Amino acid sequence: MPKIGRSKVFPEDHGPWQKQILDPGSEVVLQWNRVFIISCLVALFIDPLYFYLPSVGGLVGDTLNPCMKTDLNLRIVVTCFRTVADLFYLLHMVIKFRTAYVAPSSRVFGRGELVMDPKKIARRYLRSDFFIDLVAALPLPQIVIWFIIPAIRTTHADHNNNALALIVLIQYIPRLYLIFPLSSQIIKTTGLVTKTAWAGAVYNLLLYMLASHVLGASWYLLSIERQTACWKTECRNETESINGAKCKFAYLDCDTWYQTERQNWANSTPVFQNCNPDNSGITFNFGIFEDALTKNVVSSSFVKKYLYCLWWGLQNLSSYGQNLQTSTFIGETSFAILIAILGLVLFAHLIGNMQTYLQSITVRLEEWRLKRRDTEEWMRHRQLPPDLRERVRRFLQYKWLATRGVDEESILRALPTDLRRDIQRHLCLDLVRRVPFFSQMDDQLLDAICERLVSSLSTEGTYIVREGDPVTEMLFIIRGRLESSTTNGGRTGFFNSITLRPGDFCGEELLAWALLPKSALNLPSSTRTVRVLVEVEAFALRAEDLKFVANQFRRLHSKKLQHTFRFYSHHWRTWAACFIQAAWRRFKRRQMARDLSLQESFSSVSDEHIPDGRTQEEEEDGEAASSTPSQAKQNLGVMILASRFAASTRRGAQKIKSVELPKIRKPEEPDFFAEPDDYE
């Protein structure tokens, strides 16, 4: 990272904090912007509380005295909170003096180049937002409330201080303005102000409630002003002295209540009676402020008057001030017009943003609902049979439960290669290692495989591949069960079926095809039919991806990997079982043929030596045989029967030999040793 002087871009660099230059896109600046926008909202909430400082009436015993007073406790509390909020504005100004900016001339490509020279940063800030930030950070309400208003009251005893406080709080405008560029900066950095849709909806609702809070506080202060204006009007009209005292504006302050002259005047003057809104005979029209006076809102405790004013502001802002009955007073009608305009704009803004945020919560559900409706209409238009329709519905439902409508592949494709590899490794590595065939591979090969695996979902009764169809992918089962069967190309009398469970794989013909040095363009044909027994979640490795992995990592293949592949391949297991059965049958056939050959040889020898010349022993026994002719005839019959049995057995053996048992073709051997140097 380039440096200028001792300035540094990133806050994690070591060095004095006064010399550090912050990156506007760093996490520190982003977190501070979030904290500062919350402090701005708090400050915007605190400022209107100054409007609740004045109130009407003070209790003297059990009697309510009509006069003006200021809530000292509320003034202290609000001033403390306001001072803390001002410190955040000052700190924000300091941070902006130490935050780099992107040079406009460097935005041709990419993010742009950061300007880190403190002098250039300060010069740019002084020319742009410094004045607004300074006005927003000045403690003007504290100065007015604690210094200017008491001085005016002491010298002139006038009550125009409320209007002065309202003018001073025009500082509210630059504070409100700062929220919008700050929100825009957060959106440019992260893409959104709030992290969740619900938080965004709450944020916009708070802004609307804040507007109602300001409107209610302004209504309260203007009600105090109208009451004071009525008293002043009647006081000016009172030209004669009453009980030796003439009306003075100072008598309207509760601080003068204990003066004897003021008490004598208050007991006999008609000023307060002529300004009582409950008196139907008065000529002064309070207009929209009458409720605050008739319901004693201006003389209630802080909590009561605050909640009532908040409700009044929320009600009239939502109804655009349609229920307001105004007088001809220009300030009152202007205030009513402002309520109608603000209500229309803010309510439209609130409804629009709330709808946007709340719709973003259910956007996936709505997309799935529309997709399902379109699918139903398409199936009805194409007149699909009920069983196919039900299978389509089951698949859509299962896919929704598994993915919640999120296209994982499109999300991963948009990420950089290194990040995509790490995510795939996190998602797939542990599951891939459950497959015994993969457990024999090293991390480099596993990373290459994980990077190219895609998720696959199949519902019950679905055929993954049929015998004789091209194999387009290898499937590694994570959950569910599959049935894999073969008829050895449709030969009569041959059928083999097995169940594939989590950890097994199918489509191994594709691996043998991919490992051939010069594999054909045509994909291999499947030797088995694979059907889903229970809903299956699996990872699929497509033919082109498997070919790429095989070509890139052929040097990692070993004899151990070959044996592992043969051991866990159900195709090889079926061939081995058939090979062993055929070998056993050949052995039994040869054994039977050998036994029959021995018997036949014995019979032939007997046929040759009995009728011809005899041995000496036989000649010696001839006399005995001639003496028993019936026994000789019996022996001759036995030998003839044995000869016939041997001939019949020999013909049966020849027939058995001519009948070939069905043979299953040996699976293609994966070329694990295409490079002889790799042999282990």
Side-chain angles (χ1 to χ4, degrees), residues 50-56 68-70 144-145 149 152-153 158-169 218 220-229 231-232:
Y50 281 108
F51 294 161
Y52 293 100
L53 294 182
S55 60
V56 175
M68 298 293 300
K69 68 175 184 177
T70 302
V144 171
I145 296 298
I149 289 180
I152 292 177
R153 281 182 176 177
D158 201 345
H159 293 277
N160 284 329
N161 49 71
N162 295 326
L164 180 61
L166 185 61
I167 294 174
V168 170
L169 287 180
S218 302
Y220 174 83
L221 184 61
L222 292 175
S223 300
I224 297 290
E225 279 294 315
R226 292 298 288 165
Q227 179 71 80
T228 306
W231 285 345
K232 289 179 181 179

Side-chain angles (χ1 to χ4, degrees), residues 176-307:
L176 181 63
Y177 166 78
L178 288 178
I179 291 183
F180 299 102
L182 191 61
S183 301
S184 177
Q185 184 177 356
I186 295 176
I187 292 175
K188 287 181 180 179
T189 305
T190 62
L192 68 170
V193 177
T194 57
K195 295 182 179 179
T196 62
W198 281 110
V202 172
Y203 174 73
N204 283 273
L205 182 60
L206 285 178
L207 293 179
Y208 191 79
M209 294 295 294
L210 184 63
S212 303
H213 163 65
V214 175
L215 194 63
S218 302
W219 175 72
Y220 174 83
L221 184 61
L222 292 175
S223 300
I224 297 290
E225 279 294 315
R226 292 298 288 165
Q227 179 71 80
T228 306
C230 181
W231 285 345
K232 289 179 181 179
T233 302
E234 292 296 328
C235 188
R236 292 189 187 97
N237 294 333
E238 191 177 87
T239 57
E240 299 179 356
S241 298
I242 300 176
N243 293 332
K246 188 178 180 180
C247 180
K248 300 178 182 179
F249 288 163
Y251 291 164
L252 302 179
D253 197 324
C254 291
D255 293 338
T256 62
W257 171 257
Y258 295 99
Q259 297 178 8
T260 304
E261 185 179 356
R262 196 272 183 190
Q263 292 180 359
N264 294 333
W265 170 81
N267 292 332
S268 56
T269 182
V271 171
F272 300 118
Q273 187 64 26
N274 292 338
C275 293
N276 186 0
D278 294 330
N279 186 1
S280 58
I282 63 174
T283 59
F284 193 89
N285 189 356
F286 289 98
I288 62 175
F289 308 109
E290 185 175 350
D291 283 348
L293 303 175
T294 56
K295 297 181 179 180
N296 295 325
V297 177
V298 294
S299 58
S300 301
S301 62
F302 169 73
V303 175
K304 291 182 179 180
K305 63 185 178 183
Y306 172 75
L307 292 178

Side-chain angles (χ1 to χ4, degrees), residues 459-479:
T459 56
E460 181 180 353
T462 303
Y463 283 87
I464 305 296
V465 65
R466 297 178 185 270
E467 188 174 355
D469 292 344
V471 182
T472 59
E473 61 185 13
M474 284 189 70
L475 207 63
F476 305 94
I477 305 172
I478 304 302
R479 298 180 184 90

Side-chain angles (χ1 to χ4, degrees), residues 649-668:
T649 304
R650 185 169 59 254
R651 288 193 300 268
Q654 291 176 353
K655 290 181 180 180
I656 293 175
K657 188 174 182 179
S658 62
V659 176
E660 292 291 339
L661 294 177
K663 294 181 180 179
I664 182 171
R665 186 170 59 88
K666 179 181 178 180
E668 295 183 2

Side-chain angles (χ1 to χ4, degrees), residues 267-534:
N267 292 332
S268 56
T269 182
V271 171
F272 300 118
Q273 187 64 26
N274 292 338
C275 293
N276 186 0
D278 294 330
N279 186 1
S280 58
I282 63 174
T283 59
F284 193 89
N285 189 356
F286 289 98
I288 62 175
F289 308 109
E290 185 175 350
D291 283 348
L293 303 175
T294 56
K295 297 181 179 180
N296 295 325
V297 177
V298 294
S299 58
S300 301
S301 62
F302 169 73
V303 175
K304 291 182 179 180
K305 63 185 178 183
Y306 172 75
L307 292 178
Y308 186 87
C309 293
L310 179 64
W311 172 85
W312 187 92
L314 185 62
Q315 179 192 35
N316 288 279
L317 198 63
S318 303
S319 62
Y320 318 135
Q322 295 179 1
N323 299 324
L324 296 178
Q325 300 294 329
T326 64
S327 65
T328 57
F329 178 57
I330 296 178
E332 183 179 346
T333 53
S334 300
F335 184 66
I337 293 173
L338 181 63
I339 291 175
I341 295 175
L342 285 179
L344 180 62
V345 174
L346 293 178
F347 192 74
H349 180 267
L350 172 68
I351 295 301
N353 287 339
M354 290 284 285
Q355 184 178 9
T356 301
Y357 281 109
L358 295 179
Q359 279 183 348
S360 65
I361 299 175
T362 59
V363 61
R364 297 297 180 190
L365 183 61
E366 184 66 17
E367 289 177 356
W368 177 78
R369 188 186 66 81
L370 293 176
K371 183 177 180 180
R372 186 164 183 174
R373 186 193 65 182
D374 294 342
T375 305
E376 291 288 343
E377 292 180 356
W378 175 80
M379 291 190 297
R380 186 166 51 253
H381 175 69
R382 295 302 181 184
Q383 299 182 359
L384 296 184
D387 57 335
L388 287 181
R389 295 187 184 186
E390 186 61 28
R391 289 173 60 185
V392 172
R393 295 189 190 105
R394 284 205 310 267
F395 174 77
L396 293 177
Q397 181 68 22
Y398 184 66
K399 187 175 182 179
W400 166 258
L401 293 176
T403 63
R404 291 296 177 183
V406 178
D407 189 359
E408 297 178 352
E409 293 187 23
S410 62
I411 295 176
L412 291 174
R413 281 196 301 266
L415 298 176
T417 304
D418 182 64
L419 183 57
R420 183 168 63 246
R421 183 186 300 112
D422 292 340
I423 294 176
Q424 288 285 67
R425 180 182 178 88
H426 170 73
L427 295 176
C428 306
L429 186 59
D430 292 338
L431 298 175
V432 165
R433 281 178 173 169
R434 295 181 186 177
V435 181
F437 177 61
F438 287 148
S439 63
Q440 305 296 330
M441 300 180 182
D442 58 10
D443 292 339
Q444 186 179 8
L445 184 55
L446 287 178
D447 286 342
I449 292 176
C450 288
E451 186 178 355
R452 290 162 176 82
L453 288 177
V454 294
S455 60
S456 176
L457 303 175
S458 302
T459 56
E460 181 180 353
T462 303
Y463 283 87
I464 305 296
V465 65
R466 297 178 185 270
E467 188 174 355
D469 292 344
V471 182
T472 59
E473 61 185 13
M474 284 189 70
L475 207 63
F476 305 94
I477 305 172
I478 304 302
R479 298 180 184 90
R481 296 197 309 273
L482 297 172
E483 180 191 40
S484 177
S485 60
T486 180
T487 60
N488 192 22
R491 293 190 179 184
T492 305
F494 186 91
F495 181 79
N496 173 262
S497 177
I498 55 177
T499 301
L500 304 180
R501 291 180 171 82
D504 294 332
F505 57 90
C506 61
E508 57 267 24
E509 300 91 347
L510 199 63
L511 181 61
W513 169 83
L515 291 175
L516 293 175
K518 296 181 180 179
S519 57
L521 296 177
N522 296 329
L523 295 174
S525 299
S526 176
T527 59
R528 309 187 69 88
T529 298
V530 182
R531 186 174 65 91
V532 178
L533 298 178
V534 181

Side-chain angles (χ1 to χ4, degrees), residues 437 474 505 508-517 550 554 557-559 561-566 569 571-572 666-674:
F437 177 61
M474 284 189 70
F505 57 90
E508 57 267 24
E509 300 91 347
L510 199 63
L511 181 61
W513 169 83
L515 291 175
L516 293 175
R554 188 184 301 278
H557 297 159
S558 63
K559 187 175 182 180
L561 187 61
Q562 179 190 23
H563 292 326
T564 303
F565 172 77
R566 287 180 175 179
S569 170
H571 188 194
W572 274 87
K666 179 181 178 180
E668 295 183 2
E669 180 74 20
D671 188 11
F672 288 97
F673 309 105

